[in-house]
Amino acid sequence: MGLAATIRQWRLNRVRTHEFDALGPDQRESLARDIGVPEDVVVRLVARGAQGGAELPRLMRTLSLDPERIWHEQPALMRDMSVTCSECAVVARCQRDLECGQASLTYGGYCPNAATLRELRGERPVDLSFS
């Protein structure tokens, strides 16, 4: 993203944050209830901006998963995964791995949704116990 696009995105995020801040407590609570997440999570999602969580559908497609089908079949699961992705602390690494085509090989080491994605792919869980 170039400098101009970054500035536009920053301004847009500020406008959205200002609009959210202007809501009354009842409106915030209603919004959180409507989208099915706690109010404190809504605050963090608004702060992250519209691009928060954009990596999830890209990663899913990379893993040969259909995000639209899963949204239709399991909306609560997708909502939870989207929130998790939106709050991810290693988003820059995920973006780099997606851009260079390495995400399918590396996501398991850092993605907070890795176990769920493996399950959606029908992979067996990784057993890390030493018997």
Side-chain angles (χ1 to χ4, degrees), residues 1-16:
M1 184 179 331
L3 179 59
T6 300
I7 291 170
R8 277 193 301 276
Q9 188 62 48
W10 176 79
R11 284 184 178 164
L12 184 57
N13 287 349
R14 287 202 28 117
V15 167
R16 287 188 180 124

Side-chain angles (χ1 to χ4, degrees), residues 58 92-103:
R58 290 181 62 202
R93 179 173 180 189
C94 183
Q95 290 169 341
R96 278 192 313 271
D97 288 354
L98 284 165
E99 291 302 318
C100 72
Q102 297 296 311

Side-chain angles (χ1 to χ4, degrees), residues 14-40:
R14 287 202 28 117
V15 167
R16 287 188 180 124
T17 300
H18 185 270
E19 289 172 354
F20 182 75
D21 289 344
L23 296 176
D26 292 340
Q27 292 171 311
R28 285 182 182 207
E29 182 181 322
S30 178
L31 174 62
R33 189 176 44 254
D34 287 349
I35 62 173
V37 297
E39 190 175 336
D40 63 315

